[in-house]
Amino acid sequence: MSIKYTKDHEWVSAEGDAATVGITVHAQDALGDVVFVDLPEIGKTFAQGEVAGVVESVKAAADVFMPVSGEITEVNEALRADPSLANSDPLAAGWFFKVKLSDPSQLDALLDAASYNKFAAES
């Protein structure tokens, strides 16, 4: 299982053609206390870079972009019920949605942890 990152501060953990997507620790730090998440519809297909959801905090609202093209297979209902999971456990229990990848090679263009951490520190 590999974890990749986008410059929009999403993470994607992929295994085969299945992937889980969430926001990074840096993103939730910048947002502050998350109070609402708008998750995509199961079965909906998105192209890489499209807005797939929204996360709202006491400070701001931010789009959640699709890090890779694919079809939504599952959404995190626990996150919908308790949006603070995006703050308390953004890389595990606070995941946003799962996707069936239409082009797994898109993962190759995303950032690895070291590259993302360097990018996040500079932004």
Side-chain angles (χ1 to χ4, degrees):
M1 189 175 303
S2 67
I3 297 179
K4 297 286 197 144
Y5 302 87
T6 71
K7 289 188 173 180
D8 295 311
H9 307 288
E10 290 91 19
W11 59 264
V12 56
S13 172
E15 193 166 357
D17 69 349
T20 303
V21 176
I23 62 171
T24 64
V25 170
H26 178 83
Q28 69 83 27
D29 279 347
L31 283 167
D33 293 336
V34 174
V35 294
F36 175 78
V37 294
D38 183 19
L39 300 173
E41 237 178 86
I42 292 172
K44 189 157 185 201
T45 301
F46 292 91
Q48 184 177 34
E50 282 190 312
V51 174
V54 176
V55 58
E56 293 181 17
S57 73
V58 292
K59 288 199 272 188
D63 291 330
V64 177
F65 296 95
M66 195 69 164
V68 286
S69 300
E71 179 185 339
I72 304 298
T73 58
E74 189 179 342
V75 296
N76 188 349
E77 293 297 344
L79 182 65
R80 196 188 313 261
D82 182 6
S84 70
L85 288 171
N87 294 119
S88 61
D89 198 2
L91 302 179
W95 61 275
F96 276 57
F97 51 84
K98 296 188 179 186
V99 60
K100 182 176 195 273
L101 305 175
S102 55
D103 183 0
S105 71
Q106 289 177 333
L107 293 165
D108 298 339
L110 300 180
L111 303 172
D112 62 19
S115 299
Y116 174 75
N117 289 335
K118 183 174 190 283
F119 168 77
E122 293 169 354
S123 62

PDB file of all heavy atoms in Angstrom, residues 11 20-23 39 74-77 79 85-86 89-98:
ATOM      1  N   TRP A  11      -4.528  13.305   0.654  1.00  0.00           N
ATOM      2  CA  TRP A  11      -3.701  12.100   0.601  1.00  0.00           C
ATOM      3  C   TRP A  11      -4.523  11.009  -0.066  1.00  0.00           C
ATOM      4  O   TRP A  11      -5.749  11.024  -0.025  1.00  0.00           O
ATOM      5  CB  TRP A  11      -3.197  11.662   1.976  1.00  0.00           C
ATOM      6  CG  TRP A  11      -4.273  11.370   2.992  1.00  0.00           C
ATOM      7  CD1 TRP A  11      -4.763  12.221   3.941  1.00  0.00           C
ATOM      8  CD2 TRP A  11      -4.990  10.134   3.181  1.00  0.00           C
ATOM      9  NE1 TRP A  11      -5.731  11.609   4.690  1.00  0.00           N
ATOM     10  CE2 TRP A  11      -5.896  10.323   4.236  1.00  0.00           C
ATOM     11  CE3 TRP A  11      -4.954   8.890   2.537  1.00  0.00           C
ATOM     12  CZ2 TRP A  11      -6.759   9.320   4.684  1.00  0.00           C
ATOM     13  CZ3 TRP A  11      -5.813   7.896   2.976  1.00  0.00           C
ATOM     14  CH2 TRP A  11      -6.698   8.114   4.041  1.00  0.00           C
ATOM     15  N   THR A  20      -8.157   5.056  -0.993  1.00  0.00           N
ATOM     16  CA  THR A  20      -8.846   5.821   0.038  1.00  0.00           C
ATOM     17  C   THR A  20      -8.276   7.230   0.012  1.00  0.00           C
ATOM     18  O   THR A  20      -7.064   7.407  -0.132  1.00  0.00           O
ATOM     19  CB  THR A  20      -8.617   5.180   1.421  1.00  0.00           C
ATOM     20  OG1 THR A  20      -9.057   3.822   1.376  1.00  0.00           O
ATOM     21  CG2 THR A  20      -9.387   5.919   2.500  1.00  0.00           C
ATOM     22  N   VAL A  21      -9.162   8.234   0.161  1.00  0.00           N
ATOM     23  CA  VAL A  21      -8.762   9.636   0.053  1.00  0.00           C
ATOM     24  C   VAL A  21      -9.162  10.394   1.312  1.00  0.00           C
ATOM     25  O   VAL A  21     -10.241  10.160   1.874  1.00  0.00           O
ATOM     26  CB  VAL A  21      -9.429  10.292  -1.178  1.00  0.00           C
ATOM     27  CG1 VAL A  21      -9.105  11.777  -1.260  1.00  0.00           C
ATOM     28  CG2 VAL A  21      -9.016   9.577  -2.458  1.00  0.00           C
ATOM     29  N   GLY A  22      -8.298  11.305   1.740  1.00  0.00           N
ATOM     30  CA  GLY A  22      -8.606  12.172   2.871  1.00  0.00           C
ATOM     31  C   GLY A  22      -7.809  13.457   2.759  1.00  0.00           C
ATOM     32  O   GLY A  22      -7.113  13.676   1.772  1.00  0.00           O
ATOM     33  N   ILE A  23      -7.899  14.297   3.791  1.00  0.00           N
ATOM     34  CA  ILE A  23      -7.101  15.525   3.807  1.00  0.00           C
ATOM     35  C   ILE A  23      -5.899  15.308   4.728  1.00  0.00           C
ATOM     36  O   ILE A  23      -5.943  14.504   5.644  1.00  0.00           O
ATOM     37  CB  ILE A  23      -7.919  16.762   4.236  1.00  0.00           C
ATOM     38  CG1 ILE A  23      -8.469  16.634   5.663  1.00  0.00           C
ATOM     39  CG2 ILE A  23      -9.028  17.038   3.222  1.00  0.00           C
ATOM     40  CD1 ILE A  23      -9.095  17.914   6.218  1.00  0.00           C
ATOM     41  N   LEU A  39     -19.739  15.056   1.331  1.00  0.00           N
ATOM     42  CA  LEU A  39     -19.089  13.921   0.674  1.00  0.00           C
ATOM     43  C   LEU A  39     -19.771  13.614  -0.653  1.00  0.00           C
ATOM     44  O   LEU A  39     -20.961  13.864  -0.817  1.00  0.00           O
ATOM     45  CB  LEU A  39     -19.135  12.701   1.601  1.00  0.00           C
ATOM     46  CG  LEU A  39     -18.429  12.895   2.955  1.00  0.00           C
ATOM     47  CD1 LEU A  39     -18.683  11.706   3.864  1.00  0.00           C
ATOM     48  CD2 LEU A  39     -16.938  13.107   2.758  1.00  0.00           C
ATOM     49  N   GLU A  74     -17.346   4.238  -1.812  1.00  0.00           N
ATOM     50  CA  GLU A  74     -17.758   4.292  -0.404  1.00  0.00           C
ATOM     51  C   GLU A  74     -17.459   5.691   0.129  1.00  0.00           C
ATOM     52  O   GLU A  74     -16.513   6.331  -0.309  1.00  0.00           O
ATOM     53  CB  GLU A  74     -16.965   3.246   0.393  1.00  0.00           C
ATOM     54  CG  GLU A  74     -17.423   3.041   1.807  1.00  0.00           C
ATOM     55  CD  GLU A  74     -16.610   1.960   2.534  1.00  0.00           C
ATOM     56  OE1 GLU A  74     -15.928   1.147   1.879  1.00  0.00           O
ATOM     57  OE2 GLU A  74     -16.656   1.951   3.775  1.00  0.00           O
ATOM     58  N   VAL A  75     -18.297   6.168   1.051  1.00  0.00           N
ATOM     59  CA  VAL A  75     -18.010   7.416   1.753  1.00  0.00           C
ATOM     60  C   VAL A  75     -17.976   7.124   3.245  1.00  0.00           C
ATOM     61  O   VAL A  75     -18.559   6.147   3.706  1.00  0.00           O
ATOM     62  CB  VAL A  75     -19.039   8.531   1.432  1.00  0.00           C
ATOM     63  CG1 VAL A  75     -18.981   8.925  -0.029  1.00  0.00           C
ATOM     64  CG2 VAL A  75     -20.433   8.130   1.834  1.00  0.00           C
ATOM     65  N   ASN A  76     -17.285   7.967   3.979  1.00  0.00           N
ATOM     66  CA  ASN A  76     -17.110   7.761   5.410  1.00  0.00           C
ATOM     67  C   ASN A  76     -18.291   8.373   6.172  1.00  0.00           C
ATOM     68  O   ASN A  76     -18.280   9.559   6.497  1.00  0.00           O
ATOM     69  CB  ASN A  76     -15.779   8.371   5.857  1.00  0.00           C
ATOM     70  CG  ASN A  76     -15.440   8.039   7.291  1.00  0.00           C
ATOM     71  OD1 ASN A  76     -16.265   7.531   8.039  1.00  0.00           O
ATOM     72  ND2 ASN A  76     -14.215   8.333   7.675  1.00  0.00           N
ATOM     73  N   GLU A  77     -19.301   7.549   6.445  1.00  0.00           N
ATOM     74  CA  GLU A  77     -20.489   8.027   7.163  1.00  0.00           C
ATOM     75  C   GLU A  77     -20.140   8.469   8.589  1.00  0.00           C
ATOM     76  O   GLU A  77     -20.773   9.367   9.141  1.00  0.00           O
ATOM     77  CB  GLU A  77     -21.574   6.950   7.187  1.00  0.00           C
ATOM     78  CG  GLU A  77     -22.168   6.644   5.812  1.00  0.00           C
ATOM     79  CD  GLU A  77     -22.899   7.811   5.160  1.00  0.00           C
ATOM     80  OE1 GLU A  77     -23.243   8.793   5.856  1.00  0.00           O
ATOM     81  OE2 GLU A  77     -23.124   7.744   3.939  1.00  0.00           O
ATOM     82  N   LEU A  79     -17.518  10.081   9.428  1.00  0.00           N
ATOM     83  CA  LEU A  79     -17.018  11.448   9.285  1.00  0.00           C
ATOM     84  C   LEU A  79     -18.174  12.424   9.105  1.00  0.00           C
ATOM     85  O   LEU A  79     -18.163  13.523   9.646  1.00  0.00           O
ATOM     86  CB  LEU A  79     -16.057  11.532   8.094  1.00  0.00           C
ATOM     87  CG  LEU A  79     -15.415  12.885   7.837  1.00  0.00           C
ATOM     88  CD1 LEU A  79     -14.504  13.288   8.987  1.00  0.00           C
ATOM     89  CD2 LEU A  79     -14.639  12.854   6.534  1.00  0.00           C
ATOM     90  N   LEU A  85     -13.478  14.144  13.250  1.00  0.00           N
ATOM     91  CA  LEU A  85     -12.529  13.063  12.939  1.00  0.00           C
ATOM     92  C   LEU A  85     -11.475  13.535  11.930  1.00  0.00           C
ATOM     93  O   LEU A  85     -10.354  13.040  11.926  1.00  0.00           O
ATOM     94  CB  LEU A  85     -13.257  11.840  12.370  1.00  0.00           C
ATOM     95  CG  LEU A  85     -14.102  11.021  13.338  1.00  0.00           C
ATOM     96  CD1 LEU A  85     -14.920   9.984  12.587  1.00  0.00           C
ATOM     97  CD2 LEU A  85     -13.218  10.357  14.381  1.00  0.00           C
ATOM     98  N   ALA A  86     -11.849  14.509  11.086  1.00  0.00           N
ATOM     99  CA  ALA A  86     -10.890  15.057  10.118  1.00  0.00           C
ATOM    100  C   ALA A  86      -9.751  15.765  10.844  1.00  0.00           C
ATOM    101  O   ALA A  86      -8.644  15.871  10.314  1.00  0.00           O
ATOM    102  CB  ALA A  86     -11.584  16.006   9.150  1.00  0.00           C
ATOM    103  N   ASP A  89      -8.024  12.544  13.596  1.00  0.00           N
ATOM    104  CA  ASP A  89      -7.382  11.379  12.977  1.00  0.00           C
ATOM    105  C   ASP A  89      -7.458  11.486  11.452  1.00  0.00           C
ATOM    106  O   ASP A  89      -8.055  10.636  10.790  1.00  0.00           O
ATOM    107  CB  ASP A  89      -8.081  10.101  13.481  1.00  0.00           C
ATOM    108  CG  ASP A  89      -7.244   8.852  13.261  1.00  0.00           C
ATOM    109  OD1 ASP A  89      -6.107   8.967  12.756  1.00  0.00           O
ATOM    110  OD2 ASP A  89      -7.732   7.766  13.580  1.00  0.00           O
ATOM    111  N   PRO A  90      -6.855  12.541  10.864  1.00  0.00           N
ATOM    112  CA  PRO A  90      -7.031  12.789   9.432  1.00  0.00           C
ATOM    113  C   PRO A  90      -6.483  11.693   8.522  1.00  0.00           C
ATOM    114  O   PRO A  90      -6.982  11.523   7.410  1.00  0.00           O
ATOM    115  CB  PRO A  90      -6.293  14.110   9.201  1.00  0.00           C
ATOM    116  CG  PRO A  90      -5.313  14.209  10.315  1.00  0.00           C
ATOM    117  CD  PRO A  90      -5.978  13.526  11.488  1.00  0.00           C
ATOM    118  N   LEU A  91      -5.510  10.930   8.990  1.00  0.00           N
ATOM    119  CA  LEU A  91      -4.887   9.927   8.120  1.00  0.00           C
ATOM    120  C   LEU A  91      -5.454   8.520   8.327  1.00  0.00           C
ATOM    121  O   LEU A  91      -5.008   7.571   7.687  1.00  0.00           O
ATOM    122  CB  LEU A  91      -3.373   9.909   8.343  1.00  0.00           C
ATOM    123  CG  LEU A  91      -2.673  11.251   8.098  1.00  0.00           C
ATOM    124  CD1 LEU A  91      -1.186  11.142   8.368  1.00  0.00           C
ATOM    125  CD2 LEU A  91      -2.933  11.753   6.691  1.00  0.00           C
ATOM    126  N   ALA A  92      -6.449   8.384   9.193  1.00  0.00           N
ATOM    127  CA  ALA A  92      -7.043   7.055   9.420  1.00  0.00           C
ATOM    128  C   ALA A  92      -8.564   7.174   9.522  1.00  0.00           C
ATOM    129  O   ALA A  92      -9.256   7.161   8.512  1.00  0.00           O
ATOM    130  CB  ALA A  92      -6.439   6.398  10.655  1.00  0.00           C
ATOM    131  N   ALA A  93      -9.100   7.317  10.724  1.00  0.00           N
ATOM    132  CA  ALA A  93     -10.558   7.344  10.912  1.00  0.00           C
ATOM    133  C   ALA A  93     -11.225   8.519  10.199  1.00  0.00           C
ATOM    134  O   ALA A  93     -12.409   8.466   9.892  1.00  0.00           O
ATOM    135  CB  ALA A  93     -10.897   7.384  12.402  1.00  0.00           C
ATOM    136  N   GLY A  94     -10.454   9.577   9.895  1.00  0.00           N
ATOM    137  CA  GLY A  94     -11.016  10.759   9.247  1.00  0.00           C
ATOM    138  C   GLY A  94     -10.952  10.744   7.728  1.00  0.00           C
ATOM    139  O   GLY A  94     -11.064  11.786   7.096  1.00  0.00           O
ATOM    140  N   TRP A  95     -10.802   9.550   7.116  1.00  0.00           N
ATOM    141  CA  TRP A  95     -10.803   9.458   5.648  1.00  0.00           C
ATOM    142  C   TRP A  95     -12.134   9.975   5.097  1.00  0.00           C
ATOM    143  O   TRP A  95     -13.143   9.986   5.797  1.00  0.00           O
ATOM    144  CB  TRP A  95     -10.511   8.032   5.177  1.00  0.00           C
ATOM    145  CG  TRP A  95     -11.490   6.983   5.616  1.00  0.00           C
ATOM    146  CD1 TRP A  95     -11.475   6.299   6.797  1.00  0.00           C
ATOM    147  CD2 TRP A  95     -12.636   6.504   4.903  1.00  0.00           C
ATOM    148  NE1 TRP A  95     -12.530   5.437   6.857  1.00  0.00           N
ATOM    149  CE2 TRP A  95     -13.262   5.529   5.707  1.00  0.00           C
ATOM    150  CE3 TRP A  95     -13.186   6.795   3.661  1.00  0.00           C
ATOM    151  CZ2 TRP A  95     -14.407   4.848   5.316  1.00  0.00           C
ATOM    152  CZ3 TRP A  95     -14.342   6.114   3.256  1.00  0.00           C
ATOM    153  CH2 TRP A  95     -14.932   5.160   4.079  1.00  0.00           C
ATOM    154  N   PHE A  96     -12.134  10.415   3.840  1.00  0.00           N
ATOM    155  CA  PHE A  96     -13.320  11.013   3.232  1.00  0.00           C
ATOM    156  C   PHE A  96     -14.096  10.028   2.351  1.00  0.00           C
ATOM    157  O   PHE A  96     -15.283   9.846   2.517  1.00  0.00           O
ATOM    158  CB  PHE A  96     -12.930  12.242   2.399  1.00  0.00           C
ATOM    159  CG  PHE A  96     -12.809  13.490   3.234  1.00  0.00           C
ATOM    160  CD1 PHE A  96     -11.941  13.551   4.314  1.00  0.00           C
ATOM    161  CD2 PHE A  96     -13.559  14.608   2.941  1.00  0.00           C
ATOM    162  CE1 PHE A  96     -11.817  14.687   5.081  1.00  0.00           C
ATOM    163  CE2 PHE A  96     -13.458  15.764   3.700  1.00  0.00           C
ATOM    164  CZ  PHE A  96     -12.585  15.802   4.775  1.00  0.00           C
ATOM    165  N   PHE A  97     -13.410   9.420   1.376  1.00  0.00           N
ATOM    166  CA  PHE A  97     -14.106   8.501   0.476  1.00  0.00           C
ATOM    167  C   PHE A  97     -13.133   7.498  -0.120  1.00  0.00           C
ATOM    168  O   PHE A  97     -11.926   7.680  -0.062  1.00  0.00           O
ATOM    169  CB  PHE A  97     -14.865   9.256  -0.636  1.00  0.00           C
ATOM    170  CG  PHE A  97     -14.040  10.264  -1.389  1.00  0.00           C
ATOM    171  CD1 PHE A  97     -13.232   9.893  -2.451  1.00  0.00           C
ATOM    172  CD2 PHE A  97     -14.083  11.608  -1.036  1.00  0.00           C
ATOM    173  CE1 PHE A  97     -12.479  10.826  -3.150  1.00  0.00           C
ATOM    174  CE2 PHE A  97     -13.336  12.559  -1.724  1.00  0.00           C
ATOM    175  CZ  PHE A  97     -12.531  12.162  -2.785  1.00  0.00           C
ATOM    176  N   LYS A  98     -13.726   6.433  -0.675  1.00  0.00           N
ATOM    177  CA  LYS A  98     -12.939   5.405  -1.361  1.00  0.00           C
ATOM    178  C   LYS A  98     -13.314   5.452  -2.835  1.00  0.00           C
ATOM    179  O   LYS A  98     -14.449   5.779  -3.192  1.00  0.00           O
ATOM    180  CB  LYS A  98     -13.201   4.021  -0.763  1.00  0.00           C
ATOM    181  CG  LYS A  98     -12.729   3.967   0.681  1.00  0.00           C
ATOM    182  CD  LYS A  98     -12.776   2.591   1.281  1.00  0.00           C
ATOM    183  CE  LYS A  98     -12.242   2.673   2.723  1.00  0.00           C
ATOM    184  NZ  LYS A  98     -12.123   1.376   3.338  1.00  0.00           N
TER     185      LYS A  98
END
